[in-house]
Amino acid sequence: MAVRMGLKASEIRKIKRLLNKNHCIDVTIQVIDMEHKRLGDVSRMMLSGQINYDTSAAVTRTAEFSFVNPTRRFGIDTNNPDKGTMSMDRMLKVIYSVSDVHQSKWYHIPVFTGPIKKIDLSENIAKVSCAGKDDLGYVGVWSSRTFKKGNRVTDIIEFILKNVMGEHRMNVPDLNTRNSKQIVVNSEVVPMELIHKLAGAVSRRAFYDGRGVFQMRKNSNRVVHTFDESNITSPLGFSYDPTTVINAVKVIGGKPKGKKKKAVGRATAPRAHPLSPHKLGRNGKPRYYMLTEENSGLKTSKACKRRAKQLLDRHLAESLNVEFSALPNPLMEEGDVFKISTDEVQTKVKPVQWSLPLTHDGDMSLGAVKKVSFRGRKKGKKKGRRNVRPRVRPTRNKRSTK
């Protein structure tokens, strides 16, 4: 995570510290063309907005906005000289900025870049829906190209991005893995679907980050975010599918030199985990959902145990769905693993869905995509000042509206 969203590791650490205490936020929404050239700024017109993430969907990021439109500035004609005009050949870019309450230094976090998909115009309100840039890869292929066996997988991915999707903002690693059979890119192929398949073959996750840059990131079980009593704002809800749960792993390796038996390593979920054999057991008898892997390349019990722990961590993070609300964290990206650390629960989770509000009066939802962005009077709460920027984001213990 040396460089993420264009931020340095030191900047990310400072932002994480800011997010868990009183801080100011400011959201910038730019209208850009398909080449990322800035055309206008509509930040001050936003009434509400949120970014939705769904790692199981074809397009992992979507965005929803409501803009004030008293003069009908939001048109659909690109020949209109007003640079706030929106249409299918334009995109929106969202930058979530964070500072301390003294505004001594601002950190700018790009959280979304993608094409406009839908505009609903009423007398005073414009509702705009956008999709992430991976939506641009669900198009037809005009000219076919055949890649024979032995081509580098990353070269094929770069070809599709540049020559089919017209993409030049990318971060594709230089890997030597080659395709084992012929690959044909033609009208029967969906470019983005093929990219995901090829990225999976080299153990990478393909997605577009908030800057609109194509990324291929390693699949990792390393925790990059922690949620605890300081930032969780609702009770935790747990769910899981028993058909996909793995809470115990056994790895059988090869025979060590001079030994008659194969090396073996085991790992089980800790007792405190919601899916541990003891938590799922009955009448004092633990219930094991086993996974067994044979790997002759591992010659020691220590190596087998390390591999078993890696497999267990990955399956536990993917099997458990935890639903709750928390203080907004604009640093989260697809494939991230977060840790829940409370008095009752200590577990790792790889979220599938979450929503990030772009206004100061909403909490982030994790485990589901929900309406999280509001603006104006809410029942039972005092009306605050609207459209005042920068806005102070209170901590959990100071929830009053300013």
Side-chain angles (χ1 to χ4, degrees):
M1 203 174 67
V3 177
R4 166 181 279 229
M5 304 177 178
L7 299 166
K8 297 178 181 178
S10 59
E11 292 177 317
I12 291 175
R13 287 193 294 270
K14 292 177 182 178
I15 292 170
K16 286 183 176 181
R17 288 195 291 268
L18 277 175
L19 292 175
N20 283 342
K21 58 184 180 181
N22 282 0
H23 59 275
C24 295
I25 67 169
D26 193 28
V27 176
T28 303
I29 306 175
Q30 300 173 352
V31 181
I32 62 177
D33 63 16
M34 290 296 179
E35 305 299 325
H36 285 244
K37 179 182 177 181
R38 178 176 170 176
L39 302 176
D41 190 307
V42 292
S43 310
R44 307 289 173 174
M45 295 184 170
M46 184 185 73
L47 293 174
S48 64
Q50 66 184 68
I51 312 299
N52 300 319
Y53 302 76
D54 187 346
T55 60
S56 65
V59 179
T60 59
R61 299 191 193 196
T62 57
E64 303 170 6
F65 308 92
S66 291
F67 296 99
V68 63
N69 190 34
T71 59
R72 293 183 176 269
R73 179 185 178 189
F74 292 87
I76 57 175
D77 180 11
T78 53
N79 294 319
N80 190 319
D82 193 328
K83 293 184 178 181
T85 300
M86 300 187 185
S87 64
M88 290 280 287
D89 63 347
R90 291 185 178 177
M91 300 191 291
L92 292 186
K93 181 176 183 177
V94 182
I95 302 170
Y96 192 109
S97 301
V98 180
S99 177
D100 59 29
V101 291
H102 304 294
Q103 302 177 41
S104 56
K105 179 176 176 58
W106 285 91
Y107 298 94
H108 306 291
I109 310 160
V111 292
F112 181 84
T113 301
I116 297 167
K117 301 297 292 182
K118 184 179 180 181
I119 305 174
D120 289 331
L121 298 174
S122 65
E123 184 175 353
N124 295 313
I125 301 294
K127 295 184 177 181
V128 180
S129 300
C130 299
K133 279 185 67 180
D134 36 3
D135 181 75
L136 301 175
Y138 290 88
V139 295
V141 178
W142 186 257
S143 301
S144 62
R145 171 73 181 269
T146 300
F147 293 91
K148 295 182 178 180
K149 176 182 176 180
N151 282 275
R152 294 201 315 171
V153 170
T154 49
D155 289 343
I156 301 174
I157 291 174
E158 282 196 32
F159 172 85
I160 297 172
L161 287 167
K162 291 180 180 179
N163 297 281
V164 178
M165 296 171 54
E167 184 59 73
H168 294 282
R169 295 171 181 263
M170 64 186 75
N171 182 17
V172 179
D174 188 17
L175 303 177
N176 199 39
T177 306
R178 300 176 183 271
N179 59 313
S180 58
K181 59 181 180 180
Q182 178 175 287
I183 295 176
V184 179
V185 182
N186 57 23
S187 58
E188 297 180 1
V189 170
V190 178
M192 205 64 202
E193 288 183 356
L194 179 55
I195 286 175
H196 282 299
K197 183 178 179 180
L198 293 172
V202 292
S203 300
R204 295 295 196 278
R205 173 181 288 274
F207 70 99
Y208 275 92
D209 66 14
R211 299 172 295 170
V213 177
F214 177 83
Q215 300 284 353
M216 283 179 61
R217 185 165 293 158
K218 263 187 176 182
N219 294 318
S220 173
N221 294 320
R222 187 169 66 89
V223 173
V224 293
H225 309 288
T226 299
F227 291 94
D228 53 29
E229 283 87 351
S230 69
N231 49 27
I232 296 175
T233 60
S234 74
L236 301 176
F238 296 92
S239 63
Y240 67 93
D241 182 355
T243 62
T244 64
V245 169
I246 299 294
N247 61 13
V249 177
K250 179 181 179 181
V251 174
I252 303 173
K255 291 181 180 180
K257 189 175 182 180
K259 302 288 184 179
K260 294 182 178 181
K261 294 184 178 181
K262 295 181 179 180
V264 177
R266 295 179 176 86
T268 58
R271 281 177 176 264
H273 195 280
L275 299 182
S276 71
H278 293 85
K279 290 280 189 180
L280 300 181
R282 55 192 300 267
N283 297 324
K285 301 296 182 181
R287 184 159 38 138
Y288 295 93
Y289 292 93
M290 289 286 298
L291 171 68
T292 301
E293 179 184 90
E294 294 190 19
N295 190 332
S296 59
L298 303 177
K299 302 295 186 180
T300 65
S301 298
K302 185 177 180 179
C304 290
K305 187 174 182 179
R306 187 186 304 115
R307 173 60 178 166
K309 183 67 166 56
Q310 291 174 348
L311 290 172
L312 178 66
D313 286 347
R314 189 185 75 192
H315 282 283
L316 286 177
E318 294 175 351
S319 298
L320 183 65
N321 183 58
V322 185
E323 188 172 334
F324 62 98
S325 298
L327 297 180
N329 185 337
L331 293 172
M332 287 185 60
E333 291 191 310
E334 293 85 338
D336 281 356
V337 174
F338 66 78
K339 180 181 180 180
I340 297 177
S341 180
T342 67
D343 292 338
E344 296 81 16
V345 178
Q346 297 283 334
T347 186
K348 295 180 183 179
V349 179
K350 183 175 287 187
V352 175
Q353 296 179 324
W354 67 95
S355 297
L356 175 70
L358 300 179
T359 53
H360 72 290
D361 48 4
D363 285 338
M364 184 178 194
S365 75
L366 293 104
V369 171
K370 293 182 177 181
K371 174 74 172 177
V372 294
S373 180
F374 308 93
R375 183 63 70 84
R377 185 184 297 274
K378 293 199 290 183
K379 185 177 179 180
K381 292 198 176 183
K382 182 179 178 181
K383 183 177 180 180
R385 293 183 297 165
R386 296 175 58 189
N387 298 328
V388 177
R389 297 155 59 95
R391 300 181 290 276
V392 175
R393 174 75 202 185
T395 62
R396 185 186 178 193
N397 295 326
K398 298 179 181 180
R399 305 286 292 170
S400 60
T401 305
K402 292 198 174 184

